[in-house]
Coordinates of all heavy atoms in Angstrom, one line a residue:
Chain A
H72 N 7.8 13.4 -4.5 CA 7.6 14.3 -3.3 C 6.9 15.5 -3.6 O 6.8 16.0 -4.8 CB 9.0 14.5 -2.7 CG 9.9 15.4 -3.4 ND1 9.8 16.7 -3.6 CD2 11.1 15.1 -4.0 CE1 10.8 17.2 -4.3 NE2 11.6 16.2 -4.6
F73 N 6.2 16.1 -2.6 CA 5.5 17.3 -2.7 C 5.7 18.1 -1.4 O 6.0 17.6 -0.4 CB 4.0 17.0 -3.0 CG 3.3 16.1 -2.0 CD1 2.3 16.6 -1.2 CD2 3.6 14.8 -1.9 CE1 1.6 15.8 -0.3 CE2 2.9 13.9 -1.1 CZ 1.9 14.4 -0.2
S74 N 5.6 19.4 -1.6 CA 5.9 20.3 -0.5 C 4.8 21.4 -0.3 O 4.2 21.8 -1.3 CB 7.3 21.0 -0.7 OG 8.3 20.0 -0.8
L75 N 4.7 21.8 0.9 CA 3.8 23.0 1.3 C 4.7 24.1 1.6 O 5.6 24.0 2.4 CB 2.9 22.6 2.4 CG 2.0 23.7 2.9 CD1 0.9 23.9 1.9 CD2 1.4 23.3 4.3
H76 N 4.4 25.3 1.0 CA 5.1 26.5 1.3 C 4.2 27.6 1.8 O 3.1 27.8 1.2 CB 5.8 27.0 0.0 CG 6.7 26.1 -0.7 ND1 8.0 26.2 -0.7 CD2 6.4 24.9 -1.4 CE1 8.6 25.1 -1.4 NE2 7.6 24.4 -1.8
I77 N 4.5 28.1 3.0 CA 3.7 29.2 3.6 C 4.6 30.4 3.7 O 5.6 30.4 4.3 CB 3.1 28.8 5.0 CG1 2.3 27.5 4.9 CG2 2.2 29.9 5.5 CD1 1.9 27.0 6.3
T78 N 4.2 31.5 3.0 CA 5.0 32.7 3.1 C 4.4 33.7 4.1 O 3.2 33.6 4.4 CB 5.1 33.4 1.7 OG1 3.8 33.6 1.2 CG2 5.8 32.4 0.7
E79 N 5.2 34.6 4.5 CA 4.7 35.7 5.4 C 3.9 35.1 6.5 O 2.7 35.5 6.8 CB 3.9 36.7 4.6 CG 4.7 37.4 3.5 CD 3.8 38.3 2.7 OE1 2.7 38.7 3.1 OE2 4.3 38.6 1.5
T80 N 4.5 34.1 7.3 CA 3.7 33.4 8.3 C 3.2 34.4 9.4 O 3.8 35.4 9.7 CB 4.6 32.4 9.0 OG1 5.8 33.0 9.4 CG2 4.9 31.2 8.0
Q81 N 2.0 34.0 9.9 CA 1.3 34.8 10.9 C 1.0 33.8 12.1 O 1.0 32.6 11.9 CB 0.0 35.3 10.3 CG 0.3 36.2 9.1 CD -1.0 36.6 8.4 OE1 -2.1 36.2 8.8 NE2 -0.9 37.3 7.3
P82 N 0.8 34.4 13.3 CA 0.5 33.5 14.5 C -0.6 32.6 14.2 O -0.6 31.4 14.7 CB 0.2 34.6 15.5 CG 1.0 35.8 15.2 CD 0.9 35.8 13.6
E83 N -1.6 33.0 13.5 CA -2.8 32.1 13.2 C -2.4 30.9 12.3 O -3.3 30.0 12.1 CB -4.0 32.9 12.6 CG -3.6 33.7 11.4 CD -3.3 35.2 11.8 OE1 -2.7 35.4 12.9 OE2 -3.7 36.1 11.0
D84 N -1.2 30.9 11.7 CA -0.8 29.8 11.0 C -0.3 28.6 11.9 O -0.1 27.5 11.4 CB 0.4 30.1 10.0 CG -0.1 31.1 8.9 OD1 -1.3 31.1 8.5 OD2 0.7 31.9 8.5
S85 N -0.1 28.9 13.1 CA 0.3 27.9 14.1 C -0.8 26.8 14.2 O -1.9 27.1 14.5 CB 0.6 28.5 15.5 OG 1.6 29.4 15.4
A86 N -0.3 25.6 13.9 CA -1.3 24.4 13.9 C -0.5 23.2 13.5 O 0.7 23.3 13.3 CB -2.4 24.7 12.8
V87 N -1.2 22.0 13.4 CA -0.5 20.8 12.9 C -1.0 20.7 11.4 O -2.2 20.8 11.1 CB -1.0 19.6 13.7 CG1 -0.3 18.3 13.0 CG2 -0.5 19.7 15.1
Y88 N 0.0 20.4 10.5 CA -0.3 20.3 9.1 C 0.0 18.8 8.7 O 1.0 18.3 9.1 CB 0.6 21.2 8.3 CG 0.2 22.7 8.5 CD1 0.7 23.4 9.6 CD2 -0.6 23.4 7.6 CE1 0.3 24.7 9.8 CE2 -1.0 24.7 7.8 CZ -0.5 25.4 8.9 OH -0.9 26.7 9.1
F89 N -1.0 18.3 7.9 CA -0.8 16.9 7.4 C -0.8 16.9 5.9 O -1.7 17.6 5.3 CB -2.0 16.1 7.9 CG -2.0 15.8 9.3 CD1 -2.8 16.5 10.2 CD2 -1.3 14.7 9.9 CE1 -2.8 16.2 11.6 CE2 -1.3 14.4 11.2 CZ -2.0 15.2 12.1
C90 N 0.1 16.2 5.3 CA 0.0 15.9 3.9 C -0.7 14.5 3.7 O -0.8 13.8 4.7 CB 1.3 15.9 3.2 SG 2.5 14.6 3.9
A91 N -1.2 14.3 2.5 CA -1.9 13.0 2.3 C -1.8 12.7 0.8 O -1.5 13.6 0.0 CB -3.4 13.1 2.7
A92 N -2.0 11.5 0.5 CA -2.0 11.0 -0.9 C -3.1 10.0 -1.2 O -3.6 9.3 -0.3 CB -0.7 10.4 -1.3
A93 N -3.6 10.0 -2.4 CA -4.7 9.1 -2.8 C -4.6 8.9 -4.3 O -3.9 9.7 -5.0 CB -6.1 9.6 -2.4
F94 N -5.3 7.9 -4.9 CA -5.3 7.7 -6.3 C -6.7 7.4 -6.7 O -7.5 6.8 -6.0 CB -4.3 6.6 -6.8 CG -4.7 5.2 -6.3 CD1 -5.3 4.3 -7.2 CD2 -4.4 4.8 -5.0 CE1 -5.7 3.1 -6.7 CE2 -4.6 3.5 -4.6 CZ -5.3 2.7 -5.5
T95 N -7.1 7.8 -7.9 CA -8.5 7.8 -8.4 C -9.0 6.4 -8.5 O -10.2 6.1 -8.4 CB -8.6 8.5 -9.7 OG1 -7.7 8.0 -10.6 CG2 -8.4 10.0 -9.6
G96 N -8.1 5.4 -8.7 CA -8.6 4.0 -8.8 C -8.9 3.4 -7.4 O -9.4 2.3 -7.4
G97 N -8.5 4.1 -6.4 CA -8.7 3.5 -5.0 C -9.8 4.2 -4.2 O -9.7 4.2 -3.0
G98 N -10.8 4.7 -4.9 CA -11.8 5.5 -4.2 C -11.3 6.8 -3.6 O -10.4 7.4 -4.3
N99 N -11.7 7.2 -2.5 CA -11.2 8.5 -1.9 C -10.5 8.2 -0.6 O -10.5 9.0 0.3 CB -12.4 9.4 -1.6 CG -12.0 10.8 -1.6 OD1 -10.8 11.2 -1.9 ND2 -12.9 11.7 -1.4
K100 N -9.7 7.1 -0.6 CA -9.0 6.7 0.6 C -7.7 7.5 0.7 O -6.9 7.4 -0.2 CB -8.7 5.2 0.6 CG -9.9 4.3 0.6 CD -9.5 2.8 0.7 CE -9.0 2.4 -0.7 NZ -8.7 0.9 -0.7
L101 N -7.6 8.3 1.7 CA -6.4 9.1 1.9 C -5.4 8.3 2.8 O -5.8 7.7 3.8 CB -6.8 10.4 2.6 CG -7.6 11.4 1.8 CD1 -8.0 12.5 2.7 CD2 -6.9 11.8 0.6
T102 N -4.1 8.4 2.4 CA -3.0 8.0 3.3 C -2.3 9.2 3.8 O -1.8 10.0 3.0 CB -2.0 7.1 2.5 OG1 -2.7 5.9 2.1 CG2 -0.9 6.6 3.5
F103 N -2.3 9.4 5.1 CA -1.7 10.6 5.7 C -0.3 10.5 6.1 O 0.2 9.4 6.5 CB -2.5 11.0 6.9 CG -3.9 11.6 6.6 CD1 -5.0 10.9 6.4 CD2 -4.0 13.0 6.6 CE1 -6.2 11.4 6.1 CE2 -5.2 13.6 6.3 CZ -6.3 12.8 6.1

Side-chain angles (χ1 to χ4, degrees):
Chain A
H72 68 70
F73 56 113
S74 300
L75 177 71
H76 304 253
I77 306 174
T78 59
E79 300 173 19
T80 54
Q81 302 169 2
E83 52 264 38
D84 294 329
S85 296
V87 179
Y88 292 81
F89 290 97
C90 62
F94 67 100
T95 52
N99 206 0
K100 295 182 289 184
L101 294 172
T102 300
F103 282 87

